[in-house]
């Protein structure tokens, strides 16, 4: 018997969704603590519901539906349905889909667009979505993984030397906090400029500074020493030229994930992004990191 129940935010439910996530998405593992963190920092003014999918009382998947706070449009919703491989094709995902669509159709603003996503090599998920009328893709998000042991810094010595020639120097968030009282506000502005230039299906919605700070400078994956900014020390006020971030989403320093990498428009085409990446990779290798995951 297939049943749905609300996610109860218990320690056991957080462990359940993390375990299922890591089976369905083994290339992007998350800890239970990361799911707790996501829920704690989520803006409560936007719709979000998570469900546990059970077969004969045993958790076999989870699902969620929400308004997209990062690119909000009235009537635009997202849904995600994750089912363990051994229970796919047995009606579990379809049962969840029907329930979610009933809930969305009951919202004050009826759905005009519903988004979902999967990997291109998950053929069963593609069939599931296209059978229900999903079209696309709206956006592709290729993942790349760097093997730390095979990385050679010497290939990028020209870019590293060029950074100094332009009067730029790289500091970690930890170092910036001791240098500039307004460092978080500066990163907030730099991030927003880059976000507006990032290719996306919809116009992004800017977070408040408080929301941004809570998401960017705290949480179980945040390491102040693994996020870096290029500072222009030749200009008054020492403007921030670019940033790159590494996060410990998996809970293991051996496998890091890239947050955001961006360069202010006035500083592009100078090798700033490459220099930041190389600097971050060198730091990660010094900590014993074996791989770094990024998306494009």
């Amino acid at each position: 018997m297939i049943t749905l129940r609300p996610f109860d935010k218990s320690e056991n439910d957080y462990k359940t969704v993390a375990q299922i996530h890591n089976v369905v998405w083994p290339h992007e593992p998350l800890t239970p603590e990361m799911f707790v963190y996501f829920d704690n920092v989520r803006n409560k003014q936007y719709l979000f519901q998570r469900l546990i999918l059970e077969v004969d009382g045993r958790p076999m998947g989870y699902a969620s539906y929400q308004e997209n706070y990062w690119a909000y449009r009235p009537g635009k919703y997202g849904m995600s349905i994750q089912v363990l491989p051994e229970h796919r094709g047995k009606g579990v995902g379809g049962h969840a889909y029907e329930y979610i669509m009933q809930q969305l159709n009951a919202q004050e603003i009826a759905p005009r667009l519903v988004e979902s996503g999967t990997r291109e090599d998950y053929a069963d998920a593609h069939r599931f979505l296209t059978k229900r009328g999903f079209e696309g893709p709206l956006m592709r998000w290729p993942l790349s993984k760097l093997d730390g042991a095979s990385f050679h810094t010497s290939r990028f010595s020209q870019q590293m030397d060029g950074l100094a020639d332009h009067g730029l120097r790289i500091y970690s968030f930890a170092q910036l906090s001791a240098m500039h009282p307004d460092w978080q506000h500066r990163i907030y502005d730099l991030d927003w400029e880059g976000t507006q230039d990032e290719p996306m299906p919809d116009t992004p919605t800017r977070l408040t500074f408080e929301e941004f700070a809570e998401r960017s400078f705290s949480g179980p994956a945040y390491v102040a020493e693994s996020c870096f900014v290029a500072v222009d020390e030749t200009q008054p006020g020492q403007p921030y030229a670019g940033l790159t971030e590494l996060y410990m989403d998996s809970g293991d320093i051996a496998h890091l994930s890239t947050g955001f990498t961006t360069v202010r428009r006035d500083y592009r085409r100078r090798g700033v992004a490459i220099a930041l990446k190389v600097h971050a990779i060198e730091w990660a290798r010094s900590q014993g990191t074996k791989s770094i995951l990024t998306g494009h």
Side-chain angles (χ1 to χ4, degrees):
M1 179 179 176
I2 302 171
T3 57
L4 305 179
R5 66 170 175 83
F7 179 81
D8 64 14
K9 294 189 175 183
S10 66
E11 181 179 352
N12 187 62
D13 268 8
Y14 277 115
K15 287 182 179 178
T16 295
V17 296
Q19 289 169 352
I20 294 169
H21 172 92
N22 293 340
V23 171
V24 177
W25 301 93
H27 51 292
E28 295 181 278
L30 294 173
T31 63
E33 292 75 19
M34 286 300 296
F35 280 93
V36 173
Y37 170 69
F38 293 150
D39 287 350
N40 287 341
V41 301
R42 183 174 287 108
N43 189 325
K44 303 304 188 291
Q45 79 180 62
Y46 296 104
L47 172 71
F48 179 84
Q49 292 292 330
R50 188 183 290 121
L51 307 163
I52 300 293
L53 316 181
E54 296 182 336
V55 178
D56 298 330
R58 296 176 58 207
M60 294 300 167
Y62 74 92
S64 62
Y65 56 96
Q66 70 277 330
E67 292 175 310
N68 298 332
Y69 68 86
W70 59 90
Y72 176 72
R73 280 171 49 194
K76 173 186 170 184
Y77 298 95
M79 75 160 65
S80 176
I81 301 172
Q82 315 297 336
V83 179
L84 292 174
E86 63 267 29
H87 281 276
R88 295 173 190 165
K90 299 179 181 180
V92 179
H95 190 73
Y97 172 82
E98 294 300 330
Y99 176 83
I100 290 172
M101 289 306 301
Q102 289 176 6
Q103 298 303 307
L104 293 181
N105 284 319
Q107 296 299 312
E108 183 177 350
I109 302 177
R112 301 188 181 97
L113 176 67
V114 179
E115 293 180 347
S116 191
T118 188
R119 283 177 55 126
E120 288 192 293
D121 57 347
Y122 284 5
D124 53 350
H126 278 272
R127 288 193 295 269
F128 180 92
L129 292 172
T130 55
K131 179 179 178 181
R132 288 160 177 82
F134 283 85
E135 300 175 352
L138 288 175
M139 181 173 70
R140 283 186 169 90
W141 186 258
L143 294 177
S144 300
K145 181 178 285 188
L146 175 75
D147 176 6
S150 65
F151 180 78
H152 299 290
T153 303
S154 58
R155 293 173 53 201
F156 303 98
S157 57
Q158 182 177 351
Q159 286 85 355
M160 300 302 289
D161 294 341
L163 197 74
D165 293 341
H166 288 296
L168 301 176
R169 185 174 176 182
I170 297 173
Y171 296 96
S172 70
F173 283 12
Q175 292 170 317
L176 291 176
S177 66
M179 294 168 52
H180 302 141
D182 61 344
W183 70 280
Q184 292 186 347
H185 284 273
R186 295 196 197 192
I187 292 172
Y188 174 60
D189 290 335
L190 173 60
D191 181 280
W192 176 239
E193 181 174 308
T195 296
Q196 292 177 89
D197 292 342
E198 187 178 13
M200 297 177 66
D202 283 319
T203 302
T205 300
R206 190 176 194 184
L207 302 177
T208 66
F209 169 73
E210 291 72 22
E211 290 173 320
F212 176 84
E214 189 174 28
R215 291 174 178 276
S216 302
F217 310 122
S218 66
Y222 175 66
V223 181
E225 292 79 13
S226 69
C227 301
F228 302 95
V229 170
V231 179
D232 186 349
E233 297 187 327
T234 69
Q235 299 297 318
Q238 297 188 340
Y240 291 2
L243 70 83
T244 192
E245 304 161 329
L246 294 176
Y247 289 108
M248 200 165 58
D249 292 341
S250 68
D252 184 357
I253 194 69
H255 304 286
L256 297 177
S257 301
T258 304
F260 191 33
T261 301
T262 188
V263 175
R264 196 175 292 281
R265 294 164 191 150
D266 291 346
Y267 291 89
R268 292 175 188 169
R269 302 295 184 266
R270 302 187 195 180
V272 177
I274 292 176
L276 281 164
K277 288 285 191 184
V278 171
H279 187 93
I281 294 165
E282 288 181 325
W283 178 89
R285 290 179 62 181
S286 75
Q287 304 302 306
T289 300
K290 297 178 180 178
S291 67
I292 298 175
L293 186 71
T294 190
H296 310 277

